């Protein structure tokens, strides 16, 4: 089976940096996704990591350590519009393409 | 290129009625996934379909729920005899053939059962 764990909520200040952690247990590994979801809206794709290391995309970066079953999403120069839920997800293994999601980390950006 | 389309965006049904949720995947995408998000909970996989085939329905409740993706037209998620516990946001996602895992989500249908 697959299990994903991430903090329920975090608060950070506009302009700061925040790191959202995700730990996972899977019987195999096919990569890890991060999605952003604003309240009442659809999840939108942020990143996909399949190899160890840090991948940077503008203000957002995502890190993966397969040996530790650990990933984090790093958000720099926080803006108010970054207030959202951040979802960590892993695809199924052994065939099939469903995603198993964590419960999401609700990030609140304050002035 | 239009994204994943879902309709209706909001649906209110009384207990015992049927709910039909529609999803049109992105152009060129032949894989469709349905997820349910209960209030204050994460997204849960329900079913994965390709044209005219159900590939994985391991997340579907055994009764009252069914899904299809016909050769022509949108994918349909049908819930018969709805109960209050079915109230949730239902999201459809699609992906192109061959990649599978990169999924693009629609805006969701928010079902309220009264």
């Amino acid at each position: 089976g697959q299990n994903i764990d991430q903090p329920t909520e975090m608060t950070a200040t506009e302009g700061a940096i925040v790191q959202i952690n995700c730990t996972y247990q899977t019987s195999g590994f096919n990569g890890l996704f991060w999605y952003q979801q604003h309240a009442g809206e659809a999840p939108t794709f942020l990143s996909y990591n399949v190899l160890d290391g840090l991948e940077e995309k503008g203000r957002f970066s995502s890190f993966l350590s397969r040996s530790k079953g650990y990933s984090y999403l790093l958000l720099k120069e926080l803006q108010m519009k970054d207030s959202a839920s951040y979802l960590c997800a892993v695809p199924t293994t052994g065939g099939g393409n469903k995603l198993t999601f964590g419960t999401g980390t609700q990030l609140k950006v304050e002035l | 290129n239009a994204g994943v389309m879902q309709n209706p965006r909001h649906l209110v049904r009384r207990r015992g009625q049927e709910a039909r949720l529609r999803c049109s995947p992105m152009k060129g995408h032949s894989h469709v996934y349905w997820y349910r998000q209960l209030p204050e909970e994460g997204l849960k996989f329900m079913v994965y379909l390709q044209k005219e085939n159900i590939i994985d329905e391991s997340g579907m409740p055994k009764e009252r729920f069914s899904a299809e993706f016909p050769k022509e037209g949108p994918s349909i998620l049908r819930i018969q005899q709805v109960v209050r516990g079915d109230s949730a946001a239902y999201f459809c996602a699609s992906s192109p053939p061959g990649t599978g895992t990169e999924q693009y989500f629609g805006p969701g249908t928010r079902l309220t059962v009264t």
Side-chain angles (χ1 to χ4, degrees):
Chain A
Q2 294 163 291
N3 188 51
I4 296 176
D5 196 27
Q6 49 182 135
T8 305
E9 51 186 38
M10 300 180 71
T11 302
T13 305
E14 189 179 35
I17 298 173
V18 70
Q19 178 175 312
I20 302 174
N21 297 323
C22 170
T23 57
Y24 62 89
Q25 295 93 38
T26 62
S27 53
F29 185 73
N30 277 347
L32 185 142
F33 287 87
W34 283 96
Y35 280 84
Q36 180 192 59
Q37 186 179 26
H38 285 98
E41 297 183 13
T44 54
F45 170 80
L46 290 178
S47 67
Y48 174 58
N49 293 66
V50 66
L51 299 176
D52 290 349
L54 184 69
E55 294 201 8
E56 298 185 64
K57 268 188 196 179
R59 293 189 301 113
F60 291 10
S61 302
S62 55
F63 172 85
L64 176 67
S65 169
R66 289 173 294 173
S67 62
K68 295 182 180 177
Y70 168 67
S71 174
Y72 67 72
L73 184 67
L74 194 70
L75 290 74
K76 302 177 186 175
E77 301 170 15
L78 280 173
Q79 302 175 10
M80 299 298 288
K81 67 178 182 180
D82 297 330
S83 293
S85 183
Y86 291 86
L87 312 175
C88 176
V90 293
T92 189
T93 56
N97 295 299
K98 64 186 180 186
L99 291 176
T100 298
F101 283 87
T103 53
T105 298
Q106 186 65 46
L107 175 66
K108 182 178 179 182
V109 180
E110 299 179 327
L111 290 171
Chain B
N1 187 12
V4 179
M5 311 282 283
Q6 288 188 251
N7 70 82
R9 296 290 305 276
H10 299 273
L11 182 62
V12 179
R13 284 287 177 267
R14 292 180 181 161
R15 280 179 297 171
Q17 291 185 319
E18 178 178 283
R20 282 196 181 203
L21 288 62
R22 294 175 185 77
C23 168
S24 296
M26 284 179 71
K27 188 175 181 180
H29 288 191
S30 56
H31 298 199
V32 166
Y33 313 80
W34 286 93
Y35 294 85
R36 178 165 64 174
Q37 189 170 38
L38 294 166
E40 308 303 323
E41 292 189 17
L43 284 157
K44 301 291 185 189
F45 168 80
M46 299 182 75
V47 62
Y48 161 42
L49 310 102
Q50 295 178 21
K51 285 283 188 182
E52 300 183 279
N53 282 306
I54 296 174
I55 307 301
D56 181 347
E57 57 181 347
S58 57
M60 288 277 271
K62 298 299 179 196
E63 298 177 350
R64 302 188 296 107
F65 285 72
S66 62
E68 63 178 8
F69 189 16
K71 188 176 179 181
E72 302 291 337
S75 175
I76 306 278
L77 179 68
R78 183 183 293 113
I79 311 172
Q80 296 178 303
Q81 299 175 333
V82 296
V83 300
R84 287 225 173 102
D86 297 332
S87 294
Y90 292 82
F91 289 96
C92 168
S94 73
S95 69
T99 60
T101 53
E102 189 170 344
Q103 298 177 20
Y104 298 84
F105 283 80
T109 294
R110 276 145 190 86
L111 173 66
T112 302
V113 179
T114 62

